Amino acid sequence: MKKVDLGQMIQSWRIEMPKNNSILGKYTASLVSFTSAGLMLGLAMAQSATAQISDRDLRASSIDGHIAKVTLVDGMPVRYYEAGEGEPVILLHGGRRSVFNSANMWAANISGLAERFHVYAVDRLGYGLSGMREDGDFRYAAEVEFLDGFIEAMGLERVNLAGNSSGGALVLEYGMAHPEKVNTLTVA
């Protein structure tokens, strides 16, 4: 099987956008960067369902100046972005399960929130570059367990959770399952 160097592939397709302080400019730059990186990652992962994503490949998938990190939850890799100091807030994206729907959706929000919070934007279970369960269980109960594992891996006791679309549903499910670990819930 041919080994795919995702970092090299993403770098070769990176599109440099001029810095623009307008919301539309930031959104467009993030969208273009996300789309080209997502396309390359999707194509490479389609080549091999067992593709191993290295730390170098994760760093190559940076967004808006934030470098991706990885941790393990129940032996599965979890890609996330981390920025800022203060109370922890975990951002959970929505969308259908794929490499294209990921924490990158929060690119335009991370820096602003990081001025006040310690932000974690996480690729949910089976999304983006995070792992998938071998048993194929992607019910909300499995995602709640996955999110709880991430919170424990980060050494957090109580968190603020924000989610959009299906990420919002996950935020609500987590809040009902673990009210003792949640300060606030924001659902969009």
Side-chain angles (χ1 to χ4, degrees):
M1 177 180 303
K2 180 181 172 188
K3 181 174 165 84
V4 177
D5 185 346
L6 296 179
Q8 184 81 21
M9 194 179 284
I10 292 167
Q11 286 295 36
S12 68
W13 282 79
R14 176 149 297 154
I15 298 172
E16 294 297 329
M17 299 292 285
K19 292 290 181 197
N20 185 335
N21 288 330
S22 74
I23 291 173
L24 181 59
K26 286 181 179 180
Y27 172 76
T28 303
S30 296
L31 181 62
V32 169
S33 178
F34 167 70
T35 302
S36 60
L39 177 62
M40 290 299 95
L41 286 170
L43 292 172
M45 291 183 84
Q47 280 186 320
S48 168
T50 60
Q52 294 293 319
I53 308 300
S54 72
D55 191 46
R56 180 175 152 241
D57 296 331
L58 289 169
R59 283 193 301 274
S61 69
S62 68
I63 55 168
D64 223 22
H66 301 288
I67 301 206
K69 297 181 178 185
V70 66
T71 191
L72 293 177
V73 171
D74 295 329
M76 292 177 288
V78 181
R79 181 185 71 160
Y80 66 100
Y81 297 98
E82 182 178 10
E85 294 181 18
E87 283 188 52
V89 62
I90 297 176
L91 306 175
L92 298 165
H93 61 84
R96 293 183 178 176
R97 197 167 315 282
S98 76
V99 296
F100 299 105
N101 293 314
S102 69
N104 291 7
M105 292 179 163
W106 294 101
N109 306 99
I110 294 172
S111 293
L113 288 169
E115 292 176 11
R116 181 170 175 210
F117 297 100
H118 190 149
V119 178
Y120 300 87
V122 183
D123 281 353
R124 290 172 47 201
L125 176 64
Y127 286 80
L129 296 180
S130 285
M132 294 190 238
R133 292 173 54 120
E134 287 185 20
D135 64 6
D137 187 357
F138 294 111
R139 294 172 298 145
Y140 279 116
E143 286 207 66
V144 165
E145 185 180 306
F146 181 79
L147 177 57
D148 196 50
F150 177 80
I151 289 169
E152 287 181 18
M154 296 297 104
L156 306 174
E157 293 180 21
R158 293 183 60 86
V159 298
N160 301 289
L161 296 173
N164 73 305
S165 187
S166 60
L170 175 56
V171 161
L172 292 174
E173 291 281 345
Y174 188 86
M176 289 186 292
H178 299 284
E180 74 285 358
K181 295 183 178 183
V182 177
N183 289 325
T184 62
L185 301 174
T186 303
V187 178

